Amino acid sequence: MRKGRTPRMMALRKWHVRLGWLIGVPLILWTGSGLFMAAAPIERVRGAHLRAEAPALPPITPIAPMLEGRAADQLQLLTIGGKAVWVVAYKDGGRRRADPADGALLPAVGASEASAIARAARKGDGAIVSVTRSDAQHPPLDLRRERPAWAVQFADGARFYIDADTGELMAVRTRLWRWFDFLWGLHIMDLQTREDVNNPLLVVFAALAFGGMLIGSILMFRRRKARPRTEGTPRAEA
């Protein structure tokens, strides 16, 4: 038996080949998705270039909003759609808006108002192609928040998510963001929620990949150690 080809080393080579076939696809997915995410400018992914600068609050003397007898967790005075608005976050998780001129609670945001808020929140021009509403129990995958929302979609594929209760801009999702999100799901092997980095599939394949690389490192070290020295060896005569 040739030096370096012991039964143990031959078994390691077989395991290395088998693991290579098994983990080849996940390694390609991890490397390809990681390359895309590293190369994509994160500010463009988040749609920062599409967000208009928020205008300053007008010089007003606001009146505290009515709280309906509910405990409030947070109270903010914001500029939404070019107007000053109270946004009340209740302890029970609900949110409402109120008019700072008299403190009266305002109704939920409708489709036309959501479109106007999205236009005001977007930098530059853009044609709106659709406005759709979703409830808190069934939020769109790319929103990632359990809130009632209006999805205002522009012709370039950008979606501006407007809170249906308060009118706040919750998220901007571009085509680049959706590709980024899909590849992130592949990267962590969770295409359903795209948030679970502790899922069993990822743990198993990561462990197999680590084992394959460890075996490969052992084989490489052993092969170098077993390689015969050729320096000073006389050349055979023809």
Side-chain angles (χ1 to χ4, degrees):
M1 184 177 291
R2 290 177 59 184
K3 187 177 181 182
R5 292 200 173 184
T6 65
R8 182 178 297 176
M9 295 302 295
M10 292 177 68
L12 279 177
R13 286 192 179 91
K14 287 180 181 179
W15 274 108
H16 186 61
V17 172
R18 290 168 183 168
L19 286 176
W21 281 106
L22 186 61
I23 64 178
V25 172
L27 284 174
I28 291 172
L29 292 178
W30 290 335
T31 306
S33 59
L35 175 61
F36 178 90
M37 290 186 290
I42 193 62
E43 294 304 318
R44 292 195 69 85
V45 170
R46 293 171 177 167
H49 62 293
L50 297 177
R51 293 174 181 256
E53 187 176 348
L57 283 168
I60 61 173
T61 304
I63 296 175
M66 302 173 186
L67 299 180
E68 303 177 295
R70 299 163 66 185
D73 184 54
Q74 189 178 47
L75 182 63
Q76 291 179 291
L77 186 61
L78 305 175
T79 302
I80 297 176
K83 299 182 295 184
V85 178
W86 281 118
V87 174
V88 185
Y90 295 104
K91 284 282 189 183
D92 59 15
R95 297 177 75 86
R96 287 292 301 271
R97 60 179 182 158
D99 189 343
D102 56 11
L105 293 174
L106 297 172
V109 177
S112 60
E113 188 178 6
S115 298
I117 293 172
R119 285 187 187 278
R122 180 181 168 118
K123 183 186 295 184
D125 297 327
I128 293 176
V129 296
S130 67
V131 182
T132 55
R133 193 184 190 281
S134 58
D135 56 35
Q137 289 72 39
H138 304 91
L141 179 61
D142 60 352
L143 178 56
R144 300 288 207 280
R145 293 180 63 180
E146 295 181 351
R147 291 288 306 158
W150 288 100
V152 181
Q153 180 153 327
F154 290 85
D156 61 359
R159 292 178 193 151
F160 279 57
Y161 281 100
I162 308 299
D163 191 296
D165 288 337
T166 66
E168 295 170 280
L169 175 63
M170 293 190 291
V172 176
R173 304 304 191 212
T174 62
R175 286 196 179 104
L176 181 60
W177 188 96
R178 290 191 285 276
W179 273 108
F180 190 99
D181 188 51
F182 174 72
L183 290 172
W184 168 250
L186 285 179
H187 197 73
I188 65 171
M189 297 188 169
D190 175 24
L191 286 176
Q192 290 187 318
T193 67
R194 300 178 188 175
E195 292 183 346
D196 186 7
V197 295
N198 300 115
N199 68 80
L201 189 62
L202 178 61
V203 173
V204 168
F205 274 107
L208 291 175
F210 177 76
M213 289 187 292
L214 187 61
I215 293 173
S217 299
I218 294 172
L219 288 172
M220 181 175 65
F221 176 77
R222 294 287 296 177
R223 184 168 183 175
R224 287 190 56 142
K225 191 175 180 181
R227 185 179 297 167
R229 295 185 60 185
T230 58
E231 294 181 7
T233 302
R235 177 182 286 182
E237 295 284 338

